[in-house]
Amino acid sequence: MKKMNYQRPKGTNDILPGASEKWQFIEETARLLFRDYQYQEIRTPIFEHYEVIARSVGDTTDIVSKEMYDFYDKGERHVTLRPEGTAPIVRSFVENKLYGPEYTKPYKMFYVGPMFRYERPQAGRLRQFHQIGVEAFGSANPAVDVESMAMALDFFKQLGIKHVSLVINSLGDKESRQAYRQALIDYLLPFEAELSQDSQRRLRENPLRVLDSKDPKDKKVVAQAPSILDYLNETSRAHFEAVKSMLASLSIPFVVDSNMVRGLDYYSHTIFEIMNDAKGLGTQTTICAGGRYDHLVEELGGPATPAFGFAMGIERVLLTLEAEEVIIPVIEELDAYVVGLGEATNMESLKLVQAIRGFGFSADRDFLNRKAKAQFKTANKLNAKLVFTLGEDELAQGQVKIKNMTSGHEQTYALADVYATFDEIYDEMTTIMFE
Ligand code: ATP
Ligand code: MG
């Protein structure tokens, strides 16, 4: 008989209360910041037709050739869980004709959500992970590249992350890349036998991918490879120079790494990564990555539309926050806790918390008919500002005691008054009175 597996799938996480507040903080920070930059949210399906991803990300990339969660649905359609956000958004941009004249250019969107890649799980590498990303469509202006990178850096600054570095490179236009591709093949061929199996295959299929290899043997060979920056044509060089001088004009420090290529095929011109080198994380990790993709909209059937975007991994941002020991502000406050004493108060306690919430305050109560001491302990633990005490005597007289837990001040109110004007009673009870 098949053994039952009641555990979560390998490479996935349950985000439990206590941790989810941190996720909300990260997502909220992003939403507020992106609004300042005039990005609007887009939500696309979690799964797409296989071709959308294969065509965009590239058949010979690791993502498509090894890491896809693809399957045939009951209607024999080849679909895949999305491994990244850009291809689906470009598909949606084309399908919904967001390039139309009625839309302001650049058309700027952001997304937040889960992505799926069949990878070997380790710290900061999961099979279901989560990305926050942005895309700007319709401008080839290098100022878009720089504004986008500046926004990513702003985000980390707002989160309180300090140890970040910006690494940039240019892949040039198609002509430049073609020239470089040949130079790279010429360089790599004599080392073919020394390369990893994967890179030997990459050398034939997609030589730029060899530069992205994490294999130490490959890394050694690649270190001496020709630089793509020496193969940029006039237009490509001008774009990259503009990006660098604009970064400098904003006093944003950066380093150029001419071996950086990224794991996706759709990029051209500027690409970038933001690395974190906080002590404790051990090695440097990439927390954010992106670049320009001027031909992807056309590839998926739309009109020629230059574009720029990036994505960051929320799990890696969390690891970075932890490594830098950033304290995330968590609001833990409760306006009122109702202590109900005796079975008879059950119904009135129910009505009370509902009434308090109806006035727009947060409220909770005991449901287990516990002793007074235990209920007060919970009220303290929940940081309740006011504690209502409703015993059977109070109930009989249509009254309730309200105590301000900070000042210790306690007063008895008619239940009818609480139901009618709790907002005023709340003000009365929380305004500190010295007599
Ligand atoms: P890596 O080189 O680490 O595999 P990548 O080049 O595959 O990253 P992208 O596809 O550019 O990464 O994704 C952007 C960001 O998403 C990464 O910088 C990282 O923060 C995050 N990310 C990518 N893959 C994973 C994963 N399997 N688990 C967690 N986060 C991930
Ligand atoms: Mg990867």
Side-chain angles (χ1 to χ4, degrees), residues 63 117 119 124-126 129 131 214 262-264 286-289 311-313 316:
I63 294 178
R117 297 184 194 174
E119 298 209 66
R125 194 174 293 286
L126 291 131
F129 62 102
Q131 284 186 337
K214 279 153 192 144
R262 311 283 316 110
L264 307 91
T286 305
I287 46 180
C288 175
M312 51 201 163
R316 291 198 199 171

Side-chain angles (χ1 to χ4, degrees), residues 16-67:
L16 303 176
S20 58
E21 290 82 355
K22 295 180 184 167
W23 287 71
Q24 288 168 5
F25 175 70
I26 290 173
E27 290 165 10
E28 208 47 48
T29 303
R31 284 175 201 281
L32 290 173
L33 179 72
F34 295 168
R35 185 180 303 157
D36 288 349
Y37 281 82
Q38 292 289 288
Y39 281 76
Q40 290 173 292
E41 186 176 7
I42 177 171
R43 302 186 188 199
T44 62
I46 301 289
F47 64 101
E48 291 281 346
H49 287 125
Y50 181 87
E51 301 87 82
V52 169
I53 311 294
R55 181 70 190 266
S56 310
V57 175
D59 281 318
T60 57
T61 58
D62 282 358
I63 294 178
V64 171
S65 65
K66 296 181 189 165
E67 299 172 0

Side-chain angles (χ1 to χ4, degrees), residues 56 139-140 145 169-177 208 228 232 236 239-240 243 261-262 264-272 290-298 305-309:
S56 310
S139 170
D145 310 22
N169 191 23
S170 173
L171 297 176
D173 58 9
K174 277 181 180 157
E175 185 189 73
S176 307
R177 231 163 21 257
L208 262 70
I228 189 157
L232 297 184
S236 301
H239 188 95
F240 196 47
V243 165
V261 289
R262 311 283 316 110
L264 307 91
D265 280 349
Y266 49 61
Y267 288 118
S268 53
H269 294 292
T270 320
I271 54 173
F272 79 99
R292 186 162 274 289
Y293 50 96
D294 288 346
H295 301 287
L296 190 51
V297 174
E298 255 176 303
T305 307
F308 193 96

